[in-house]
Amino acid sequence: MATEAYKIRVEGMDCASCALKIETAMQRLPGVADVRVNYSAGTLALQLDQDRTPPQIIEEQLRSLGYQPLAAASSPNSVPAVRERSPWWKDAKLRSILITAAMFVLAFALSQIVPPHERWFYSAAAVVSLIPIARRALMGAVAGAPFSIETLMTVAAIGAVMIGEAEEAAVVIVLFNVGEWLETFAAGRARAGIEALIEVVPRTAWRLRGGSGEVEEVPAADLKIGDVVVVRAGDRIPSDGKVIEGRSDVNEAPITGESVPVAKAIGDQVYAGSINANGELRIETTSAAADNTIARIIHLVEQAQESKAPTERMIDRLSRWYTPAAMLVALLVIIVPPLGFGEDWSTWIYRGLATLLIACPCALVISTPAAIASGLAVGARKGLLIKGGAVLETLGKVKTVAFDKTGTLTLGQPQVTDVVAVVGQDDAVLARAAAVEGNTSHPIGQAIVRAAKARGLQLPVVFGGSQAVPGKAISARFKDGFACVGSPRFAAERTTIPPELATTISSLEHEGKTVVVLISGKTCEGVIALRDEPRPDAAGAMQQLTSKGIAVVMLTGDNARTARAIAGQLGMESRAELLPDAKLAEISRLKDVSPVAMVGDGINDAPALAAASVGIAMGGGTDVALETADAVLLNDRTRGVVELIALSQATLGNIWQNISIALGLKAVFLATSLLGVTTLWMAILADTGATVLVTANALRLLRWRASES
């Protein structure tokens, strides 16, 4: 069977119950597989064999269930678009409220004019208002979802009319439509979290035209790889690209969540949606609109929303028998008291119908996906990309976090930590060493040059360039003779190292630092120590994790001395000299005890990331990081791990609050219904109220701040 990906936007799908109904209906169609319904994004995605089920059948099925199919995406990875907002008078659910309310008002007016026929007026209003709901219930039953909210509403409304409570039946239908519209409103608020990401990318760009130097305004979506765009101060960058001219500070908050601008110069990578703060930049486009960082983040978040968390799956399974069980309980409430105890049939039919309305599962079903959708959306806005509800749940249960060292806990490049002069001043030693290393591509040499530039040192003139002694040293000729920068072993071969200096070198190496010696002729002028230093926020992050009762450990292939030094500085354990298979074995051992997260660069640590309960990649928005691991720290900060876990814990707390609200309100109103206190309109208002409360509580997560961790 040849299938292809098919994705379509669906209007009117605003709650988890809607998603379940559509999912069930689609799974019954021939040639349809891998159905993924995302009510948060309002999309339906599946694998489709068009020879067995043409797309038109999919659209007809959606319409029959009461939903409006919109234009299908040209491909599953097409450019995301902001959902168009129709005028309020075109809102189908708002029209339903107005129509049912008008029917009720008309029935009320006629009953005042002709009181003897009051029941018939309200009955007619209820029946006419019920027709669209009953039709959706029937089509749902035909499509494999007989126990839907529409079914409960239809049964309750018809029952109320039959026992002479037509006025309440009409009110219940009005309130039901109000509840559905409130769900639509809440879903729109949740979608706004993702649409805010879409809107940060400008719609137009200033593109250089050929070699003429003239610029033309073009749609950003039309930019191709290799195009050169001009981005003025204050403008948003229209596409991912590389700076080819100019210098500026760029605010990357839309991608990384970090509001501190980042300095950009020729050769630096920039991301679509970032804000150019000051100088003008010329940028060569490196990705099409559909593949820029923002677009990939949005697609990954939408895919994450399609995947179900364990709690959500449990509630989905529960809801499949919950509704028929609720109908059975309502039936028992109706027949047991009259048949068993001689009670009044009318009274207990009324109470049974109230029980039926209270038992609607909407609030319970929406409790988890609403919270998960909000958590994923707020995470993406803050540079915490989480690939699925299951990942979001698991993060909050992690008991151990294992970190790679290089590029994860550390900056990934050596930094000058110590300069010890034997002859002259420290700055003079650093300046001469930087001059020797001036044209090197070696990381240690580049670090020495960066340190000299950072101190604003004037470098002495080198005559004839530098010469390398592979694996040992590099030398250059100054006005006063030759000088070289090399390892302590190389220095010992060339001259005698003073005992005090040898002690200093040994002490520095014991701290896990790499030491190089500056030699002029036969004289040791001084030593420079370097080390790949911890990220500025790493120590604080480790402290926060341990304060939460989470164990932290470093897993590295580096030597034990360096590992111990860095780990001691950060207050954590270390396991050193681990090859990839040994690192994988260590993760498996930790995972056998409790859930474990592995944090790495997303490339070398791939096996360990895959084996961990949750794999977290330090991303910085790079292509590899976005496609690797279960979660990505787009802000490239170690503290992002703390924020991920805090967001997960906040989401889990929100889920259990929602479940408690849903079940607690139902329990209270079930008791009052059996006691005869709750009326039908109060019952449906209780269900609608529970749904609104659960949704509003989930939307609170959209205001979550990293400082809450």
Side-chain angles (χ1 to χ4, degrees):
M1 178 176 66
T3 63
E4 58 185 53
Y6 177 78
K7 188 172 185 178
I8 192 169
R9 288 171 56 201
V10 182
E11 190 175 76
M13 176 178 64
D14 300 312
C15 71
S17 295
C18 300
L20 272 175
K21 189 191 307 179
I22 292 173
E23 184 178 316
T24 302
M26 294 299 111
Q27 287 172 343
R28 292 166 64 93
L29 295 175
V32 172
D34 191 22
V35 180
R36 302 180 307 282
V37 184
N38 184 352
Y39 90 88
S40 300
T43 60
L44 164 65
L46 45 81
Q47 290 292 321
L48 180 63
D49 180 356
Q50 297 197 19
D51 292 334
R52 301 179 64 190
T53 299
Q56 293 82 355
I57 300 297
I58 301 285
E59 295 178 16
E60 289 172 9
Q61 184 73 280
L62 289 169
R63 291 192 188 93
S64 71
L65 294 172
Y67 307 104
Q68 183 61 41
L70 302 177
S74 58
S75 74
N77 296 314
S78 58
V79 183
V82 176
R83 185 181 297 264
E84 294 183 5
R85 290 169 173 79
S86 302
W88 66 268
W89 62 85
K90 291 186 178 181
D91 188 319
K93 292 189 176 181
L94 192 55
R95 288 203 306 269
S96 295
I97 294 174
L98 296 175
I99 291 170
T100 53
M103 295 293 295
F104 177 80
V105 171
L106 178 61
F108 173 79
L110 292 174
S111 67
Q112 300 302 307
I113 298 171
V114 191
H117 299 295
E118 176 183 26
R119 176 181 176 182
W120 296 107
F121 294 142
Y122 282 115
S123 295
V127 170
V128 172
S129 300
L130 187 63
I131 289 174
I133 300 171
R135 181 180 178 278
R136 296 209 304 271
L138 177 62
M139 296 310 298
V142 171
F147 300 109
S148 62
I149 177 64
E150 289 84 2
T151 301
L152 297 182
M153 267 301 306
T154 302
V155 171
I158 292 173
V161 170
M162 292 178 64
I163 63 172
E165 299 292 344
E167 182 178 356
E168 284 205 54
V171 172
V172 163
I173 295 169
V174 174
L175 291 175
F176 173 77
N177 284 318
V178 169
E180 288 223 311
W181 180 80
L182 287 172
E183 287 180 358
T184 302
F185 174 77
R189 289 288 305 276
R191 290 186 186 117
I194 296 301
E195 292 183 351
L197 285 175
I198 302 172
E199 292 174 329
V200 303
V201 179
R203 298 183 184 277
T204 60
W206 293 99
R207 182 174 63 187
L208 280 178
R209 185 187 301 163
S212 64
E214 297 180 1
V215 295
E216 57 181 347
E217 188 175 17
V218 298
D222 291 349
L223 291 176
K224 298 179 177 60
I225 295 174
D227 284 349
V228 176
V229 295
V230 177
V231 183
R232 299 162 299 187
D235 287 352
R236 288 187 182 270
I237 294 171
S239 179
D240 289 358
K242 182 175 64 176
V243 177
I244 61 172
E245 186 177 324
R247 300 176 68 89
S248 183
D249 294 324
V250 174
N251 184 347
E252 297 180 341
I255 294 91
T256 68
E258 291 293 324
S259 58
V260 178
V262 179
K264 299 290 183 180
I266 294 174
D268 289 339
Q269 179 75 24
V270 292
Y271 306 112
S274 302
I275 304 167
N276 182 19
N278 34 60
E280 183 174 284
L281 295 175
R282 293 197 175 189
I283 297 166
E284 181 181 340
T285 300
T286 57
S287 65
D291 297 320
N292 69 39
T293 302
I294 286 286
R296 294 203 307 277
I297 290 171
I298 293 166
H299 283 307
L300 289 169
V301 172
E302 289 185 346
Q303 289 171 8
Q305 289 177 339
E306 290 170 6
S307 67
K308 295 184 178 181
T311 304
E312 184 179 354
R313 291 185 183 279
M314 178 192 73
I315 291 177
D316 282 354
R317 291 194 298 269
L318 175 67
S319 66
R320 295 184 189 278
W321 60 261
Y322 172 91
T323 305
M327 296 183 75
L328 178 60
V329 169
L331 180 62
L332 293 175
V333 169
I334 291 171
I335 64 175
V336 170
L339 292 180
F341 304 98
E343 298 286 340
D344 177 62
W345 276 100
S346 180
T347 298
W348 285 97
I349 289 175
Y350 185 91
R351 294 181 183 180
L353 295 175
T355 302
L356 195 64
L357 291 176
I358 290 167
C360 291
C362 284
L364 181 62
V365 171
I366 204 175
S367 59
T368 299
I372 292 289
S374 293
L376 294 173
V378 74
R381 291 211 310 267
K382 295 183 181 300
L384 309 172
L385 182 57
I386 306 164
K387 299 183 181 179
V391 176
L392 187 57
E393 274 199 36
T394 305
L395 277 165
K397 301 171 184 176
V398 162
K399 297 300 180 186
T400 304
V401 180
F403 291 86
D404 175 45
K405 182 181 74 69
T406 305
T408 300
L409 289 172
T410 65
L411 294 168
Q413 57 184 9
Q415 310 285 323
V416 172
T417 59
D418 304 87
V419 180
V420 180
V422 176
V423 177
Q425 301 296 317
D426 292 352
D427 281 355
V429 169
L430 182 60
R432 283 173 68 85
V436 173
E437 299 276 11
N439 296 318
T440 184
S441 60
H442 194 282
I444 288 178
Q446 291 178 336
I448 292 172
V449 173
R450 283 197 306 271
K453 287 182 177 178
R455 296 190 188 188
L457 302 181
Q458 183 70 37
L459 305 188
V461 177
V462 172
F463 296 92
S466 302
Q467 293 182 340
V469 181
K472 292 185 177 182
I474 187 168
S475 64
R477 185 167 66 87
F478 295 109
K479 186 177 181 180
D480 58 355
F482 279 92
C484 62
V485 176
S487 67
R489 179 178 295 180
F490 174 81
E493 293 173 357
R494 295 289 298 269
T495 187
T496 301
I497 299 176
E500 298 82 1
L501 188 59
T503 301
T504 299
I505 292 172
S506 178
S507 176
L508 291 170
E509 289 182 333
H510 186 71
E511 295 174 9
K513 298 174 181 177
T514 299
V515 179
V516 293
V517 183
L518 173 65
I519 306 171
S520 292
K522 295 290 185 179
T523 304
C524 292
E525 293 193 349
V527 298
I528 299 172
L530 306 94
R531 186 170 66 184
D532 184 7
E533 287 292 271
R535 292 175 181 270
D537 65 333
M542 298 307 107
Q543 187 175 3
Q544 287 180 293
L545 288 171
T546 52
S547 69
K548 291 174 177 287
I550 298 171
V552 291
V553 61
M554 176 198 296
L555 305 180
T556 179
D558 209 341
N559 66 77
R561 185 175 59 189
T562 301
R564 277 196 305 270
I566 297 292
Q569 194 173 344
L570 298 178
M572 64 192 303
E573 295 181 34
S574 65
R575 311 273 195 279
E577 300 177 4
L578 299 178
L579 295 174
D581 57 343
K583 192 177 290 189
L584 178 61
E586 186 66 21
I587 286 292
S588 300
R589 185 187 68 79
L590 292 169
K591 189 176 177 183
D592 288 340
V593 178
S594 61
V596 59
M598 173 66 194
V599 189
D601 62 11
I603 305 171
N604 299 330
D605 298 306
L609 289 170
S613 306
V614 178
I616 303 171
M618 301 292 287
T622 60
D623 291 344
V624 174
L626 283 174
E627 305 302 331
T628 307
D630 304 306
V632 182
L633 304 178
L634 297 174
N635 51 33
D636 220 23
R637 293 187 299 113
T638 311
R639 190 175 182 274
V641 178
V642 182
E643 294 168 358
L644 274 175
I645 292 174
L647 176 58
S648 172
Q649 291 172 341
T651 305
L652 287 173
N654 192 282
I655 288 170
W656 288 110
Q657 290 168 9
N658 287 347
I659 292 173
S660 299
I661 291 170
L663 295 179
L665 280 176
K666 289 186 184 300
V668 169
F669 278 90
L670 176 61
T672 57
S673 294
L674 296 177
L675 294 173
V677 177
T678 302
T679 61
L680 291 181
W681 67 267
M682 289 171 63
I684 192 64
L685 192 60
D687 178 69
T688 300
T691 302
V692 171
L693 285 175
V694 163
T695 305
N697 190 47
L699 290 176
R700 282 194 312 111
L701 278 173
L702 293 174
R703 298 194 299 273
W704 180 87
R705 297 183 182 278
S707 59
E708 295 175 17
S709 61

